[in-house]
């Protein structure tokens, strides 16, 4: 796939500007608290790295790795927990950092899993939202952009484990 096969949805500088706004809002909401930032691997790693460097509140970073996608662009029904947090979530102010909410199945399962651990609070931050196909009752507390109903890649998101390193958000052009 080359640049010619891609439609740019959001360029790097628009993403950076919006992430700075989100970080300012989060920093003010969590002022004086320690955030347990839970980066949902793998897709959220680039967003989390950019967002966390702009947050001025106190942050502890942890990771959770889950997948609904095997080696395809068709999601599987059940979420697989590949690796769990390394910190206890009990009594913590959890901020889940996710790349994109689509059907909502992933975040809904992640939220249920974390709620069982008695956190003090839990909020969801996602850079992109594709609400057209929502099946689970979930919405983000902090959302960067609504994206068109297309399969997007780049800025951490993959197609068959490739293209995560593209520094902007793109969709594959219809052939
Ligand atoms: P959901 O369970 O349908 O909300 O799926 C959310 C997860 O699927 C996200 O964490 C992404 O990793 C992945 N995903 C959903 N839509 C896309 C897309 O358009 N491109 C790449 N990954 C996606
Ligand atoms: Mg993901």
């Amino acid at each position: 796939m080359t640049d010619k096969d891609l439609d740019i949805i959001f360029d790097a500088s628009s993403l950076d500007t919006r992430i700075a706004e989100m970080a300012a809002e989060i920093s003010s909401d969590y002022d004086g608290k320690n955030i347990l930032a839970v980066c949902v691997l793998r897709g959220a790693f680039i967003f989390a790295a950019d967002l966390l460097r702009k947050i001025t509140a106190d942050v502890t970073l942890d990771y959770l790795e889950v997948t609904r996608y095997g080696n395809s662009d068709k999601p599987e029904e059940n979420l697989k927990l590949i690796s769990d947090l390394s910190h206890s979530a009990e009594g913590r102010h959890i901020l889940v950092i996710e790349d994109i909410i689509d059907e909502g199945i992933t975040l809904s399962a992640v939220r249920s899993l974390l709620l069982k651990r008695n956190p003090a609070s839990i909020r969801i931050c996602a850079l992109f939202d594709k609400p057209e196909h929502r099946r689970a009752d979930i919405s983000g507390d902090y959302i960067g952009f609504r994206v068109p109903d297309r399969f997007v890649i780049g800025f951490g998101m993959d197609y068959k484990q490739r293209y995560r390193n593209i520094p902007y958000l793109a969709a594959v052009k219809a052939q």
Side-chain angles (χ1 to χ4, degrees):
M1 193 153 21
T2 68
D3 287 3
K4 280 198 227 104
D5 305 316
L6 298 176
D7 286 326
I8 297 183
I9 311 283
F10 296 112
D11 64 17
S13 111
S14 322
L15 294 172
D16 194 60
T17 304
R18 181 69 188 120
I19 293 170
E21 290 169 1
M22 296 171 83
E25 196 184 339
I26 292 167
S27 300
S28 131
D29 290 354
Y30 287 90
D31 188 30
K33 293 186 177 129
N34 175 258
I35 303 172
L36 181 62
V38 174
C39 171
V40 183
L41 294 174
R42 295 175 194 151
F45 81 111
I46 287 185
F47 171 44
D50 281 2
L51 181 78
L52 291 175
R53 278 178 296 171
K54 297 181 198 297
I55 288 179
T56 54
D58 188 29
V59 171
T60 300
L61 173 63
D62 210 336
Y63 302 98
L64 197 63
E65 185 168 5
V66 292
T67 187
R68 280 190 70 199
Y69 289 74
N71 268 330
S72 76
D73 55 356
K74 297 275 177 297
E76 287 156 21
E77 214 36 56
N78 295 320
L79 192 83
K80 249 190 271 170
L81 178 63
I82 297 173
S83 74
D84 205 339
L85 298 182
S86 57
H87 294 83
S88 160
E90 186 157 358
R92 306 300 300 271
H93 292 289
I94 297 179
L95 180 67
V96 178
I97 303 176
E98 176 61 310
D99 49 5
I100 187 166
I101 316 179
D102 185 14
E103 293 181 331
I105 306 289
T106 302
L107 276 180
S108 159
V110 165
R111 186 178 57 183
S112 313
L113 177 89
L114 296 174
L115 273 174
K116 285 187 199 136
R117 301 177 183 181
N118 299 317
S121 68
I122 176 160
R123 286 190 187 165
I124 287 168
C125 172
L127 185 53
F128 304 110
D129 190 14
K130 248 187 344 189
E132 282 86 356
H133 300 292
R134 196 76 95 245
R135 292 166 59 211
D137 178 22
I138 193 133
S139 58
D141 299 284
Y142 306 97
I143 295 289
F145 298 93
R146 186 170 170 161
V147 293
D149 183 18
R150 298 175 68 180
F151 193 80
V152 289
I153 56 170
F155 215 75
M157 280 174 292
D158 70 307
Y159 173 63
K160 297 190 181 178
Q161 297 304 329
R162 295 173 65 189
Y163 315 116
R164 293 190 195 274
N165 57 315
I166 294 175
Y168 51 84
L169 190 77
V172 182
K173 279 185 181 150
Q175 299 298 309

